Amino acid sequence: MTTKLFCIGNPLLDIAAEVDQAFLDKYGVKLDNAIMAEEAHMPVFQDLKDNCKPLFVAGGATQNTARVAQWQGDEGGAG
């Protein structure tokens, strides 16, 4: 028997990169914290791309739920 999972949600893009304390200070952010990005934070994306070798991963609660369900069911299809 095959179980189907249908998910609807807002797609997000997670960006992960190793940065130093100077990078965090430059944008006024704290380690292990979350913020709502403001105009002052907009240059961070280009800075990460140009200087930090970021990892871009599709994310968001819905995408992550589908991905975990795929792993648990050992079936392909969630990407």
Side-chain angles (χ1 to χ4, degrees):
M1 175 184 211
T2 301
T3 300
K4 302 291 182 186
L5 176 65
F6 177 73
C7 300
I8 297 176
N10 295 318
L12 298 175
L13 179 65
D14 294 336
I15 305 171
E18 290 187 34
V19 300
D20 59 16
Q21 187 62 46
F23 187 93
L24 299 176
D25 294 343
K26 179 178 179 179
Y27 294 102
V29 296
K30 297 178 183 176
L31 186 63
D32 298 326
N33 201 3
I35 63 164
M36 293 295 292
E38 298 174 354
E39 191 65 32
H41 299 111
M42 293 302 109
V44 75
F45 302 106
Q46 191 66 45
D47 197 353
L48 284 169
K49 183 179 170 202
D50 293 345
N51 302 308
C52 300
K53 299 180 183 178
L55 175 63
F56 298 96
V57 181
T62 305
Q63 178 69 29
N64 294 337
T65 298
R67 187 176 291 123
V68 170
Q70 172 191 344
W71 291 336
Q72 289 179 338
D74 196 30
E75 294 183 26

